[in-house]
Amino acid sequence: MTALSLPITTERLTLRRFRLDDLDDLYAYQSLPEVARYLYRPPLTREQCAESLTRRAADQAWTEDGDDLVIAVCRTGDATVIGEVVLKLANTRARQTEIGWIFNPAYGGRGYATEAALAVASLAFADLGTHRLFARLDALNTGSANVCERLGMRCEARLVESHLDGDRWGTECVYATLAHEWKANQP
Ligand SMILES: CC(C)(COP(=O)(O)OP(=O)(O)OC[C@H]1O[C@@H](n2cnc3c(N)ncnc32)[C@H](O)[C@@H]1OP(=O)(O)O)[C@@H](O)C(=O)NCCC(=O)NCCS
């Protein structure tokens, strides 16, 4: 990967680049309606997952607005991909980075998403020079809001009915933290 040196390990997890042979694992969660529920898009087909993997497995640049790095999350000692954390370069000059996470619900409720997101957020500040890290999520997505709060991000905005999700008006929440705040909060 161009911008990050992977793999890295946390207490329970290994974070690595995606590989082409991760297709079954990726499809296992990206195909689920419950996973796509608040992503403002339908679940992915197997073909869409395969296409996405081709991009994810290639060297991912981190130089221009819109570049993203998608990181596979596995439990250490088990090659199965249980989820992903993505960083997106939203504004190169202002060093604004968006973070997001998608996990297989079969591995939910064990703190894996929070553990992986903490590690990736640290990389965003330490290795990618991020000034402000933010997340955007549907106001009904309490699982995701809880991850933001466990990361110490603050809710900065609530954009009422700013998205049309099928025939439902979606309210978007924006959470964020700054580099100096992140540093001050680390043990
Ligand atoms: C958002 C998402 C990643 C959250 O998953 P999650 O399982 O709730 O999050 P974590 O893996 O961090 O697990 C946290 C839970 O594990 C519990 N837990 C159990 N053992 C734990 C441990 N050893 N360490 C930490 N937490 C632990 C926590 O108490 C917490 O439970 P709670 O939410 O009831 O308080 C998941 O719902 C998801 O992938 N959703 C679909 C995609 C999506 O919407 N992504 C966000 C787009 S903005």
Side-chain angles (χ1 to χ4, degrees), residues 65-83:
D65 292 5
D67 283 350
D68 58 12
L69 304 171
V70 192
I71 298 165
V73 181
C74 306
R75 293 184 296 180
T76 298
D78 177 354
T80 307
V81 176
I82 65 167

Side-chain angles (χ1 to χ4, degrees), residues 48-127:
Q48 287 171 320
C49 288
E51 188 195 328
S52 158
L53 257 190
T54 309
R55 281 182 281 111
R56 292 167 183 224
D59 205 28
Q60 296 172 295
W62 187 262
T63 51
E64 292 177 16
D65 292 5
D67 283 350
D68 58 12
L69 304 171
V70 192
I71 298 165
V73 181
C74 306
R75 293 184 296 180
T76 298
D78 177 354
T80 307
V81 176
I82 65 167
E84 62 193 71
V85 180
V86 60
L87 293 174
K88 186 170 184 177
L89 186 50
N91 186 310
T92 311
R93 199 176 109 73
R95 293 183 281 128
Q96 307 283 305
T97 301
E98 182 174 358
I99 187 169
W101 34 73
I102 303 177
F103 276 73
N104 188 327
Y107 301 93
R110 290 180 244 182
Y112 290 142
T114 302
E115 186 171 323
L118 269 169
V120 173
S122 292
L123 290 178
F125 287 118
D127 294 3

Side-chain angles (χ1 to χ4, degrees), residues 12 35 39 101 103 108-114 136 141 144 150:
R12 298 177 294 173
V35 166
L39 300 181
W101 34 73
F103 276 73
R110 290 180 244 182
Y112 290 142
T114 302
R136 301 182 303 138
N141 195 346
S144 195
R150 284 191 284 266

